[in-house]
Amino acid sequence: QFYNMALQDKLILMGIILIFLGFIIIIASSLIQAKTNVKSAGVVFIGPFPIGYASDKIMFYILIALTLVALIIFYLLKR
């Protein structure tokens, strides 16, 4: 059945599989390592406005750079 699927359906299925694989890897690594120093950052786009947070200064700068790259990509795809 996989060979009879359209390309869009295959890409969606592969994306879902990669997301679940990422979750499994993160859960497994958190169970293996008992003590770690966790840094986090995230951004959400609400319309054209990015809203972000970061727990570390370096993560904040990385988040700003990735947000700018995403905004440029969104702008170029919109044209």
Side-chain angles (χ1 to χ4, degrees):
Q1 269 188 344
F2 183 76
Y3 296 108
N4 295 332
M5 293 173 65
L7 179 62
Q8 292 174 343
D9 294 335
K10 288 179 184 178
L11 290 175
I12 290 172
L13 181 63
M14 289 185 343
I16 291 171
I17 290 171
L18 286 175
I19 289 171
F20 281 117
L21 186 62
F23 282 139
I24 291 170
I25 290 172
I26 289 172
I27 290 170
S29 67
S30 69
L31 294 175
I32 292 172
Q33 295 178 352
K35 250 185 167 180
T36 59
N37 184 10
V38 177
K39 299 176 186 175
S40 65
V43 67
V44 175
F45 286 96
I46 299 178
F49 305 108
I51 298 173
Y53 69 92
S55 65
D56 187 31
K57 193 179 242 186
I58 294 172
M59 292 298 291
F60 176 73
Y61 292 133
I62 293 171
L63 182 69
I64 294 228
L66 291 176
T67 302
L68 290 175
V69 169
L71 284 173
I72 291 169
I73 290 172
F74 291 155
Y75 176 74
L76 292 176
L77 289 177
K78 183 132 175 123
R79 297 178 77 198

